Amino acid sequence: MSNVVFLFENFNPNIRTTFFRHKSYTNYLGYSEFAIKNTNTEHGLFGIIDKFPDIENMKDIEPINQHIIKLANNKIPIFRCTISLSEYDAIRLGYDSKEKWKELFKLKLSSFADKLNVKYHDLQYCRSSSFRKWTSPFASYDLEQTKI
Amino acid sequence: MQVMIWSKQKYKMNYFVDYKEVNKMREEFTNEIFKEDLLELYKEKDITRKGIITDNKFLQEIKNVSSNKKFIKDILQYEKDFNDKKILKHNISNKKIKLVVDDLIKIKSLLKQTSGSIKYQYLKKYPNIINEVDNLSKKIIELSLECQEQVEKYIQIKQDIVSYKYQNEEKIKQAQTIEKEKAEQEILKLIGNQILNFERILLNQKLEYNQIQYINNGRQLVWNIFNTLYFTTRQEEKYLRRFELIYKKQLSKQAKKELALKKRNESSLNWEK
């Protein structure tokens, strides 16, 4: 049994560079070549944002990008989290599909809110799941895409 | 999976999350993902644990301790020895305790006429009651020889402590006589307060006690007094030992050991001469 790679990043909103970090990250999440794309659209984004109730079926994610740029400009703290498994474990335990990750994240969302000291109904997130090949056990990725 | 998280709340929030919290989140995710593997592991663990208990003879013997008569006898013997050595004996007949209980009831009737808090120091306004309490405490001390011994020891220790204060022998004798009176009064006050505490419980109680209840509670009071006397004398003994170390300039046990270790390889010849 190998461990889960869990990276949690905090960004200081008062530093100028954090704005540029968030600026293009939504596009990266949605259109990354490793992201598992939605069935109807070209991007792989999904999540809960009050302004955009149906993200999965949105054809263009530019408004979401603009929304996040506005948040970054207003110095609202944004956290990033990456959770990944080794290829062997992902296939063995069924975490090679998007829906399984969705279930897992929904289960743990309340504890996330608790640890971030945020009310559960205030929490907003957008995410994508991707599939890549391991090279080493220390969280470095190979850029080759593997077929599912 | 990659996620971006933020909050829509309007008030300011902290952008830094503590490492402990992050580690907790990591643990939660790993436990959830590897749930199926862990279940199998737990089953294996249970089976091996059961095997350890059934195979190990020593553990089986420990389990059967309550039925082992020899072991129980040994433990009881140990407890008996402990009681004999450390705490005063409480073998007092019911007749003697009845006398104590009679006095307690008499003091209770006297206390009903008083006002204010029921403590030895405050009740000195009523010398009548204080005399009764003192007589009772003297009676309790006379109940057992060991108790009398402890009281004498207490007074002796107090006198010894005073003797370090002066060098002139006459002054020492004078101080010792004063100290003896003080110590006797202290003991009377100590016992008197315990008796008055008991009386306070009696006065607050709505239902009156039976004679059996009186005797049982009276016996407990006497035991409590014996124990407090024992422990106060032990404490004074410790205090005396500290005084001896300071005034006689005696070395402590550890210091003596260290000195002996230092002198272990010294020659018997004194080279300075």
Side-chain angles (χ1 to χ4, degrees), chain A residues 2 4 6 12 25 50 71 79-83 92 104 111 115 121-122 124-128, chain B residues 1-9 13 15-17 21 25-26 28-30 32-34 37:
Chain A
S2 60
V4 173
F6 184 91
N12 188 349
Y25 194 69
D50 275 3
L71 288 175
F79 306 99
R80 269 186 219 170
C81 182
T82 53
I83 306 160
R92 187 169 62 88
L104 178 73
S111 77
K115 263 117 202 171
H121 53 80
D122 280 348
Q124 306 274 291
Y125 64 90
C126 66
R127 64 210 167 92
S128 72
Chain B
M1 187 180 68
Q2 286 163 316
V3 199
M4 257 164 70
I5 307 161
W6 67 93
S7 163
K8 65 176 180 183
Q9 67 198 21
M13 59 179 284
Y15 67 85
F16 182 75
V17 180
E21 301 295 311
M25 281 196 270
R26 181 185 289 120
E28 278 183 23
F29 271 100
T30 44
E32 189 60 40
I33 289 166
F34 294 104
D37 291 356

Side-chain angles (χ1 to χ4, degrees), chain B residues 107-227:
Chain B
I107 293 164
K108 188 189 165 187
S109 60
L110 286 171
L111 280 170
K112 278 178 184 174
Q113 297 161 7
T114 61
S115 61
S117 66
I118 301 166
K119 277 182 181 175
Y120 192 86
Q121 200 67 25
Y122 292 119
L123 285 170
K124 279 188 176 176
K125 295 175 206 170
Y126 312 97
N128 194 17
I129 296 166
I130 288 291
N131 275 330
E132 286 286 331
V133 173
D134 285 351
N135 286 331
L136 213 174
S137 46
K138 278 170 192 168
K139 259 185 198 176
I140 289 167
I141 292 166
E142 281 169 10
L143 281 175
S144 82
L145 275 169
E146 283 183 342
C147 188
Q148 289 170 32
E149 259 178 43
Q150 294 298 328
V151 172
E152 278 171 15
K153 207 180 263 184
Y154 181 83
I155 293 163
Q156 188 64 41
I157 289 162
K158 283 277 180 188
Q159 285 178 339
D160 286 348
I161 288 168
V162 168
S163 66
Y164 291 115
K165 284 183 182 175
Y166 305 104
Q167 284 186 336
N168 191 0
E169 282 189 7
E170 282 182 14
K171 277 188 178 179
I172 289 169
K173 276 182 183 176
Q174 278 179 0
Q176 278 178 347
T177 47
I178 294 162
E179 199 60 31
K180 194 186 174 185
E181 284 171 13
K182 269 188 186 177
E184 278 172 354
Q185 278 178 357
E186 271 177 29
I187 283 168
L188 287 175
K189 192 183 168 184
L190 200 137
I191 298 168
N193 267 327
Q194 289 212 346
I195 290 163
L196 290 170
N197 279 334
F198 183 76
E199 292 288 348
R200 201 186 302 142
I201 294 162
L202 286 180
L203 285 167
N204 289 331
Q205 217 135 30
K206 286 172 186 174
L207 292 169
E208 285 219 349
Y209 278 162
N210 296 327
Q211 206 168 7
I212 298 161
Q213 279 177 325
Y214 262 120
I215 287 166
N216 284 335
N217 286 313
R219 189 182 287 277
Q220 208 163 7
L221 195 148
V222 173
W223 291 358
N224 282 335
I225 289 164
F226 284 2
N227 286 335

Side-chain angles (χ1 to χ4, degrees), chain A residues 73-88:
Chain A
N73 210 11
N74 290 332
K75 292 180 180 178
I76 284 165
I78 298 170
F79 306 99
R80 269 186 219 170
C81 182
T82 53
I83 306 160
S84 63
L85 280 173
S86 70
E87 191 185 354
Y88 171 73

